[in-house]
Amino acid sequence: MISSLYRKKIVLSAMLACVLALSAGLTGCGSDSEQSTETTEEAESKNEEPKDHEKTVPVENSSLKTESTVIAVGQTPVLYSEYKSYYYFMESQYSSLLGDQVWKQSAGGNKTIGQEAIEDVLRMIIQVKVIIKEAAKQGVVLEADEKEDADYSAQKLFDSLGEDVTKDAMMTAPLLMQIFEENKLAEKMYRVITGQAETGVATSGLSAYRVQLLFKAAGDNREKVKADIEKLQKKIAGSEKSFYIYAKKETELPEVEYVIGSLDERKNLWSTVTSLRNQTISPVIEEADGFYIAMVLKKPNDELNTEYRNQVVTDKQTEAFQKSYEEWSKNYDVEVSDALLSD
C-alpha cells in the first residue's frame, strides 16, 4: 500500500498551476474491471481487501530508460519520461528563483531540498493518478472544449521550450498534452467533490481580525519554551523595531500575517486578540500547541468578515476533499522505483 510519505498532503495540480500559470488533467486512466458492490468498509470489517482493490504492475529499479515504469498506481503505470517532465516543471520554477545550488542544501534531517523535491513530485503524480481513476469511476470527464483548451496550452508550451529542454526532460507534445489533460481533470474532480460538500458551518455573524503572529511550539520542554518566549515578548515590547521584523525571524509558522475569526479553535488567542488595540503587542498567549505573541492590524469590518467566511467555507471543502482522497487511495497499491527514491 502507499506509504504515509505519499499521503502527507494533497498536491493536486497546484505545482503545475504555479509553474505554468494555468490549469491542467485527463479522461480514462481507471481500471477496466467491473466495480464490486462490496464497500471498502465492509471488506475491512472482514479483514479483507475490497474486490475492486488494485494491485500494482511491476516497476523497474535500475537502468531507467524513457519507457521504464517508475511509478505504479494500481494497474496504471507511470513511465520515466512522464516523471522527468513533471520534475522539469518543478525544477525550472525553483531554479529560476533560487539558483541550481538550492537542491544541495539541507532540508532538515538527512535530506536535501532536492530529495524533498523528488518526493513532492512523486506525491503529486500519485495523487493525480488516484484522482483521475476515481473520476472515471464517477463518470467525471473533460468536455470537448476543456480537452481542446488543455491540448492547446500544452502544445503552445512545448513549442516554446526548445529541443534541448524537451530532449533532456524526455518530453513530447503528446505526453505534455496527457499531463495537462490529467491535471485539468483532477482539478475538475476537485471542484465536483468540493461543490457537493456540506460545510456544516453557519457563516452568518462571523467576525475576524487581521493579525501578525509569532509562534513557538511547546515541544518536549514546555516550561523552557514559555520562559524563552516571555523574554522575547519583553524585548519586542520595549523595542522600536516593528513587530513584523521579530515575527519574521522568530516565528515557527509558515507566514506572519493571518486572518483569524470567531470559529478559531485557539480560544485563548481569539479572546486576547478581541481585547487588543491595533498595533499593540499582546502578552504571551498559551495554547495547547504552544505559545503566541499577536499584534492586531485590522479589526472586524465587512470586507474582512467576508474574507473570513469565504476562508472557512474553502477550508471545510478542502477538508472534505482530503477525506475523500484518503478513502480513494485505499483502493490502490502504489509502488515507486528505488532508483527514483535514491536519486
Side-chain angles (χ1 to χ4, degrees), residues 153 261 297 333:
S153 298
L297 300 179
D333 284 356

Side-chain angles (χ1 to χ4, degrees), residues 181-234:
E181 288 179 12
E182 289 186 348
N183 277 265
K184 197 174 190 69
L185 181 56
E187 183 186 27
K188 183 174 184 176
M189 187 66 169
Y190 177 84
R191 293 198 305 269
V192 168
I193 299 302
T194 56
Q196 296 170 348
E198 292 289 339
T199 64
V201 176
T203 57
S204 60
L206 298 183
S207 60
Y209 292 71
R210 190 178 302 279
V211 301
Q212 291 178 351
L213 297 176
L214 191 161
F215 171 72
K216 296 289 186 182
D220 296 330
N221 194 338
R222 190 177 189 92
E223 291 306 313
K224 183 180 184 305
V225 175
K226 182 177 181 180
D228 289 345
I229 197 171
E230 284 178 343
K231 289 180 182 178
L232 181 59
Q233 191 275 344
K234 291 179 181 178

Side-chain angles (χ1 to χ4, degrees), residues 159-176:
D159 292 341
S160 72
L161 291 178
E163 186 176 352
D164 289 345
V165 170
T166 56
K167 183 177 180 181
D168 183 63
M170 299 183 179
M171 190 186 301
T172 64
L175 173 58
L176 197 57

